[in-house]
Amino acid sequence: MKSKKRSKVLIVLGVIVLVYIIYKLTLLGLAASSMDDPFARLDKSVFDLDAEKIEYISVQNGTTGEEYRFSGDELDEAAAKLNGLHWKYVYGRLPVKTGGWSYRIMIEDTSGNWSSYLIGDNYLVVDNVVFRTSSGEFSEFIDRVSTD
Amino acid sequence: MKKFVAVFIALLMFVTVLPIGAIATEADTAKPALGSQTTSQEKIVLDEEDIFVSADEATIIAQYFINDIIAANISAWDESTRIVSVVPLYDQTSQNRITAYSIELSTGYIIISAYLGMENIIIEWSDVAAPTYKLMNFSYGDKVVYVAPLVYYKDSGDSTLESPDGSIVLKSDVENKFEYARNINNVPDYLFTYLKESIQQPAMLANATISDPYKHANSHYAGPFKYYEHINRWDSSSSPLKVINMSAFNCKNHCGPTAITNMLRMYGNRFNISSIKGVSDAALFNSVTWIGNCKYYFNANINIGDITLGGTFNALAGSYIKDCFKEYGLTANCTRKDINYNNIKYSLNNDYLLYIMVNNHSTYGDHHMACYAYTRLISETTGLYKTYLKVADGWDTKPKYIDLATVTSDTYWEARISK
C-alpha cells in the first residue's frame, strides 16, 4: 500500500518535471525560431562580423544613455571579441515587453543593417534568446560606459 | 521515504538550475545664405535656419526679459506675472513663415523676433496693454500676420488680409519689413561664436538624443523646417519644468519608476498638490519603486536562470501609474493607445500626461518615459510635417524630443489625472 502511494507521488513529480522541461524547451524553440537578426545566429559562435563592413560597434549605458563608439583599431578588436564569443548555455525567455535595461551593444554595417543586444556581465540577449556566457565576458564593453 | 524525498529534492534542484536549453551543448537644402561674418581664421556662413528662434527659445528669452524688467522696477510686472500663451506670428505669404512670437502674459505681452539678426529681438512689449491683434476676432484656423512693429493683420486663408480697423488688403500689396531689418552683423559676438561652434560640430550620431527639433529635422529631412503648431501646458509657464533623471537614484533598470516619479512631480508642482510637493524626489521615487515591487509592476532584478534582467512591464504600467497617484490622494485613469499624431494631439489637448513605452528604439532601446508636449514642424520645400514629442527621458535633467516617426509601432498610457 505504502509502495503504491510512493509510486503515485513519483509519477506526479515525474510529470511535473517533464512538463517543466517541455515548457522550457518549447520556449527555447519558439524563441530560436523567431530569432531574426542581421548579425547574430544560434550557432556555436554567435557572430561572424567582417570588421571592414562594419560601420560602427558601440556600447551604451541604459541608466545614463552614455554611448561609446569603437573606432579604428578598437573597432577591429571589438568585432574580434564578438566573433570570439562562445556561450555556455542558451535560454528562451517569454516575449513579454518591458522597459528598462542596463547595457547594450549596437552594431551597424555599411549596408545600413542595424541591431542592438542587451548585455550583462555573463549574458547576451538576441530577440528572446538569451546566451549565457562566462562571467566577465562583456566587461571590456561595459567598462567603457559604466558609472560603477 | 527519506530516500525518496532526497531524490526528489535533488531532482528539483537539478531542474531549477537546469539551463532552459538543456539540449544546448557546452559549446564553447538650404535657403541662400543670409550673410557671413569673417573671423581672422575663416569665413563662416550662417543660414537662415541657424539664426531661427524656436517657440521654446522665445519663451525662455521672454522669461529672462521679464526677470530683468522686474529687477529694474520700471513696470507693473512682479513675481506673479506669468506667461499665459505663445502665439506664432506669420509673414503675409501663405507659407507658414514665422516672423515673431507674441508671448501673452497675465498682464501685458512681449513680441520676440523669430530671427536673431534683428537689431533688437524684443520688438514690442507692454506691461499693461494687450497686443493690437486682440482687437480682431479670430476663428479656428485663422493666423496672425505681423510684418512690421505694430502692424498686424488677420489671415483667414484667402488672398487677402484684414487689419484691426476692418480694412481689407491684398497679400500681394503687403510688404514684410522685417526681412530688410535682419542683418547678420546684429548677431552679438558671443552668440556668433556659439553659433560658429555649433555649426562646426561633427555630424550628430544617428541615434543621439534630440535637444532641438529644428536642428534634427533640418539635418535628417529635406527642409528647411518651420514651426507649424505645438501643445505644451507644462513648461512654458514662468517656472521651468523640473526633470528628474535615473542617475539620481541608486537602482537598476528603473526607467519606468523614474517616468512615474517625473509625472508625479510635474503634476504636484503644477496643481500645487501638497502631498507631493512636501516630499523629496528620493522619497517619491522610493514610494514608486515600493509599489512597483509589491505589486510586481516593476522589478530591478528579474532572475532568469542565473542571469539577471529587470524592468517595468508594459502591460501593467497603466495600473502602476494609477496605484502611484492613488498613494498621493489622486485619481489616475489610464488608457493604452497607439502612438500616432492624432492620438497624441488628442491626449495633450485634453491636458493628460503620457507614459511612453518604446521597444528596440535606436536611441532608447526598451525604455519608458514621461511625455507632456509636442512640437510640429513643416518643411518649406516639401510640405512634410515632422512631429516631435517632448519628454522627460530619464537620462537627462533637461527635456528631450523624440521624432514621432521613430515610435509609431509603440504604445503609450494616457493618464487622466484628477484630484
Side-chain angles (χ1 to χ4, degrees):
Chain A
M1 187 67 185
K2 213 172 184 181
S3 156
K4 218 174 181 182
K5 198 177 176 186
R6 188 184 296 170
S7 301
K8 273 186 181 174
V9 172
L10 270 175
I11 288 167
V12 170
L13 292 176
V15 168
I16 290 171
V17 169
L18 195 66
V19 167
Y20 181 80
I21 292 171
I22 289 170
Y23 164 71
K24 291 295 186 186
L25 292 177
T26 305
L27 199 57
L28 175 63
L30 289 173
S33 63
S34 62
M35 186 173 138
D36 181 22
D37 190 85
F39 306 113
R41 64 215 171 162
L42 185 49
D43 205 343
K44 202 169 181 179
S45 61
V46 183
F47 295 101
D48 183 20
L49 306 171
D50 179 352
E52 288 191 354
K53 291 180 182 169
I54 298 298
E55 190 72 31
Y56 72 83
I57 294 174
S58 67
V59 58
Q60 190 176 29
N61 183 320
T63 302
T64 63
E66 186 191 352
E67 182 186 352
Y68 182 87
R69 286 201 175 184
F70 297 93
S71 58
D73 289 345
E74 282 188 342
L75 177 62
D76 295 340
E77 286 167 20
K81 174 76 182 166
L82 291 175
N83 285 340
L85 170 71
H86 293 291
W87 45 274
K88 289 190 167 187
Y89 311 109
V90 62
Y91 300 66
R93 68 171 184 174
L94 289 168
V96 177
K97 287 187 174 177
T98 59
W101 48 279
S102 295
Y103 301 99
R104 69 170 173 167
I105 286 173
M106 290 179 279
I107 303 174
E108 184 170 330
D109 67 13
T110 50
S111 304
N113 294 309
W114 178 90
S115 196
S116 74
Y117 313 93
L118 297 187
I119 57 166
D121 179 59
N122 61 350
Y123 67 87
L124 170 111
V125 182
V126 183
D127 295 333
N128 289 310
V129 179
V130 183
F131 294 93
R132 164 71 162 84
T133 66
S134 306
S135 293
E137 182 76 43
F138 294 103
S139 58
E140 289 169 41
F141 289 92
I142 291 171
D143 288 348
R144 301 284 187 177
V145 292
S146 174
T147 51
D148 294 337
Chain B
M1 188 65 185
K2 272 183 183 172
K3 194 177 173 185
F4 159 71
V5 171
V7 169
F8 171 66
I9 291 172
L11 190 61
L12 200 63
M13 285 172 70
F14 168 73
V15 170
T16 306
V17 298
L18 185 70
I20 296 160
I23 50 162
T25 56
E26 176 92 16
D28 299 66
T29 66
K31 296 193 77 175
L34 270 184
S36 62
Q37 190 160 327
T38 308
T39 66
S40 54
Q41 292 87 22
E42 61 208 313
K43 190 175 183 185
I44 298 294
V45 177
L46 296 180
D47 289 335
E48 187 173 308
E49 67 194 64
D50 295 322
I51 59 168
F52 183 76
V53 177
S54 69
D56 285 350
E57 289 163 342
T59 307
I60 293 167
I61 292 167
Q63 190 58 56
Y64 276 111
F65 182 71
I66 294 165
N67 294 345
D68 286 348
I69 296 295
I70 292 172
N73 200 21
I74 55 170
S75 74
W77 289 340
D78 57 24
E79 299 302 331
S80 67
T81 303
R82 60 188 178 81
I83 296 170
V84 175
S85 63
V86 179
V87 179
L89 310 175
Y90 298 88
D91 71 4
Q92 77 284 10
T93 68
S94 301
Q95 297 177 356
N96 285 321
R97 289 181 183 154
I98 297 174
T99 56
Y101 301 96
S102 174
I103 314 294
E104 297 181 354
L105 309 175
S106 45
T107 56
Y109 72 101
I110 305 167
I111 304 291
I112 293 177
S113 168
Y115 291 90
L116 293 175
M118 297 288 286
E119 194 168 347
N120 190 341
I121 61 167
I122 309 284
I123 304 172
E124 294 176 30
W125 70 278
S126 170
D127 58 340
V128 287
T132 319
Y133 64 79
K134 287 284 187 187
L135 297 170
M136 295 183 279
N137 293 319
F138 286 84
S139 304
Y140 182 78
D142 290 346
K143 291 186 297 188
V144 183
V145 168
Y146 182 62
V147 289
L150 295 171
V151 179
Y152 297 94
Y153 295 99
K154 180 170 81 174
D155 182 355
S156 299
D158 55 22
S159 60
T160 61
L161 299 171
E162 182 187 334
S163 63
D165 63 8
S167 59
I168 304 293
V169 292
L170 283 170
K171 284 180 176 175
S172 55
D173 292 341
V174 174
E175 193 176 40
N176 178 8
K177 297 222 165 44
F178 292 128
E179 279 191 354
Y180 305 106
R182 288 178 205 144
N183 189 324
I184 201 71
N185 291 324
N186 290 328
V187 178
D189 285 346
Y190 69 91
L191 204 52
F192 182 78
T193 306
Y194 167 78
L195 289 170
K196 189 182 77 174
E197 286 171 356
S198 121
I199 288 165
Q200 289 175 330
Q201 276 177 356
M204 64 177 80
L205 295 174
N207 52 356
T209 56
I210 302 169
S211 300
D212 184 334
Y214 291 89
K215 275 187 184 167
H216 184 271
N218 284 322
S219 63
H220 288 75
Y221 305 98
F225 280 83
K226 297 287 181 190
Y227 171 88
Y228 182 74
E229 66 176 21
H230 82 288
I231 298 175
N232 186 352
R233 302 212 170 95
W234 296 86
D235 71 351
S236 62
S237 62
S238 54
S239 58
L241 181 70
K242 187 178 180 186
V243 175
I244 305 161
N245 67 350
M246 295 167 70
S247 299
F249 312 115
N250 183 22
C251 194
K252 283 199 297 186
N253 309 313
H254 54 295
C255 56
T258 305
I260 296 174
T261 304
N262 266 310
M263 292 165 76
L264 283 166
R265 178 60 77 207
M266 287 164 64
Y267 192 88
N269 282 348
R270 181 174 164 193
F271 295 103
N272 204 23
I273 308 297
S274 57
S275 58
I276 296 174
K277 290 189 85 172
V279 296
S280 66
D281 291 344
L284 263 187
F285 178 80
N286 287 340
S287 70
V288 171
T289 49
W290 182 78
I291 291 167
N293 286 323
C294 287
K295 300 205 171 181
Y296 302 102
Y297 300 136
F298 162 74
N299 197 328
N301 300 308
I302 298 171
N303 295 314
I304 303 174
D306 57 349
I307 68 160
T308 304
L309 293 164
T312 307
F313 293 103
N314 289 17
L316 304 180
S319 301
Y320 191 8
I321 295 163
K322 187 176 180 180
D323 285 352
C324 290
F325 274 87
K326 191 178 174 186
E327 179 75 9
Y328 292 93
L330 299 164
T331 303
N333 292 308
C334 297
T335 307
R336 192 171 181 173
K337 293 184 170 181
D338 292 330
I339 297 179
N340 58 50
Y341 170 68
N342 288 334
N343 282 347
I344 294 285
K345 184 172 182 176
Y346 173 84
S347 298
L348 293 174
N349 243 338
N350 285 288
D351 217 2
Y352 303 145
L353 274 173
L354 316 184
Y355 181 94
I356 302 275
M357 302 174 290
V358 299
N359 285 98
N360 201 29
H361 190 267
S362 61
T363 302
Y364 291 105
D366 300 336
H367 195 61
H368 294 179
M369 49 203 134
C371 170
Y372 59 92
Y374 80 80
T375 297
R376 190 163 167 88
L377 314 179
I378 183 170
S379 168
E380 277 194 304
T381 51
T382 65
L384 175 74
Y385 292 103
K386 291 305 301 176
T387 303
Y388 289 85
L389 310 182
K390 196 169 190 182
V391 295
D393 74 349
W395 285 354
D396 206 312
T397 52
K398 291 175 186 165
K400 295 287 181 182
Y401 291 86
I402 297 177
D403 181 349
L404 181 76
T406 65
V407 292
T408 48
S409 57
D410 294 304
T411 59
Y412 68 98
W413 286 97
E414 171 193 272
R416 301 180 300 280
I417 305 158
S418 57
K419 293 178 189 175

